[in-house]
Amino acid sequence: MLDQKTVRTQPEAIAEALKKRGYSLDIAALKQLEAERRSVQGKTEELQQQSNSRAKNIGKAKAAGEDIAPLLAEVGQLKKDLAAAEHELAAVQASLETLLAGIPNIPADSVPEGLSEDDNVELRTWGTPRQFDFDVVDHVDLGDALGGLDFATATKLTGSRFAVMSGGIARLHRALAQFMLDTHISEHGYTEVNVPFIVNSDSLYGTGQLPKFAEDLFKLSDDRDLYLIPTAEVPITNMLRGDIIDDADLPLKFVAHTPCFRSEAGSHGRDTRGMIRQHQFEKIELVQFVRPDESDAALEGLTACAEAILQKLELPYRTVILCGGDIGFSSTKTFDIEVWVPSQDKYREISSCSSFGDFQARRMMTRYRNPESGKPELVHTVNGSGLAVGRTLLAVLENHQNADGSVTVPAALQPYMGGLDVIK
RNA sequence: GGUGGGGUGGCUGAGUGGCCGAAAGCGGCAGUCUUGAAAACUGUUGAGGGUUUGUAGCCCUCCUAGGGUUCGAAUCCCUACCCCACCGCCA
């Protein structure tokens, strides 16, 4: 959520900044609601004040032993007016709140112009896509031949966009998760957390998935208003919802390994083959809470942590900065890391690292006590995948495949595979 | 599942209808003292919002959340969520 005061007082400037996203802010509606809010709030507070002072007078009169009956008679109409005004105010504030909560974050200055992913800008590449001297097989056929990747059975168990892994591939998948987690803990200074995979709507509101993107989530039919997490970003970031953090504790860096559940509504027919787009996948998520002036550096650092995993796994990748039209709702700046997928002859997203500025912090009321002002001020949040495990598995299988259908285990993973160097 | 007790500021914890945005302590901040620090002492210290040129003043709201009673609610009633204790059941 953007700062209400800024939105209200400088709607034109906000609207201009949001154009970079291709978002058009309804200034007229905003101004109208704001004018209404102002008058209704003024009226309500005046009535509240009257009501308060009369109640006090009644208290004094009673204490003095006076007859309070005439005073009581006076407040009848006031109470009715006040109730009506409060009702009206609540309605206006709810409308304003809905409008404000639906406004996306403002892209950072460094975010390039553009409306689609075609306008994203490549920042750097690492490694060189391998030249194969045999016909490249995609991970679905590779996995099928190895007997460890089975989509048909998963369809029987659940439906489309699920997979059953077994044997060496299941172990490789687990090894990848462990390896990433260990690397971030011991080499990058993150604290491991283990969090719930089911969250309430307040948490989803805090990180920005709700109220706008409910259709992307799996909601439990249980009447407790609970959802499966679409990413560990939600539980980790919300750990500090409503809290005031000690300045000395910043920056806070957390890493978690969780499953992620996404309905993929609206992506029917996209990436239907293989592990690219699943309803359930595992991810190692990195989250940082930082002081406002440190978020740019934190985003660079966090992205480097994610890239380090790909380097250790000897997987070629490139890093792009998303253009204004392609960044997520809550993000002010996003770097996507894309791994080389040989069967598709192109780079595919494997990590998305974003800075949210104070956008999430404002929704969550997560603050730190600024030693200079002594006041609680909003922190900045930064997060990213480090990495998506399923897509990494796919990349390892395809990039390290051999002519005989076997897959070479990258050296970094071998300790996690009991020393195994080839999956056959 | 049963019974009972609770959820108050950064933290601990008082407060059972008006004098309570809220005692006290801790912590924080400022000062005195000190070569410096600690200790001690003194003062100060919740958050959000409205109005406003204003970090001035005035005003509103907030004691888990949502309803209710009342002229008036941290305080009484109802509901939800959470915590604690004991009992039962069980991995």
Side-chain angles (χ1 to χ4, degrees), chain A residues 173 176-177 179-181 184 255-258 260 281-286 302-313 315 317 336-339 349-353 384-393 395-396:
Chain A
H173 185 263
L176 280 166
F179 161 70
M180 293 178 197
L181 209 43
H184 294 310
V255 58
H257 167 211
T258 73
C260 303
F281 61 96
E282 290 177 37
K283 185 155 61 69
I284 307 298
E285 181 75 3
L286 304 169
L302 185 144
T303 306
C305 292
E307 290 181 17
I309 299 294
L310 288 169
Q311 293 175 14
K312 287 171 188 282
L313 294 174
L315 296 170
Y317 66 86
D336 270 10
I337 304 173
E338 300 178 341
V339 71
E349 178 188 337
I350 196 166
S351 170
S352 191
C353 302
S385 6
L387 310 157
V389 181
R391 288 187 182 180
T392 309
L393 177 86
V396 169

Side-chain angles (χ1 to χ4, degrees), chain A residues 1 5 19 24 61 63 95 101 107 116 121 138 184 227 248 263 344 361 368 379 381 395 417 423:
Chain A
M1 182 134 70
K5 218 174 215 168
K19 273 190 193 164
S24 107
S95 306
S116 77
V121 176
D138 85 347
H184 294 310
Y227 299 76
S263 76
Q344 298 188 3
Y368 78 112
V379 297
T381 53
M417 295 289 287
I423 299 174

Side-chain angles (χ1 to χ4, degrees), chain A residues 7-12 26-38 96 99:
Chain A
V7 175
R8 288 198 314 248
T9 53
Q10 310 166 39
E12 288 81 5
D26 189 346
I27 297 181
L30 190 70
K31 283 188 167 171
Q32 202 238 317
L33 269 175
E34 169 56 12
E36 220 172 303
R37 192 225 94 231
R38 184 186 286 242
L96 200 55
L99 200 157

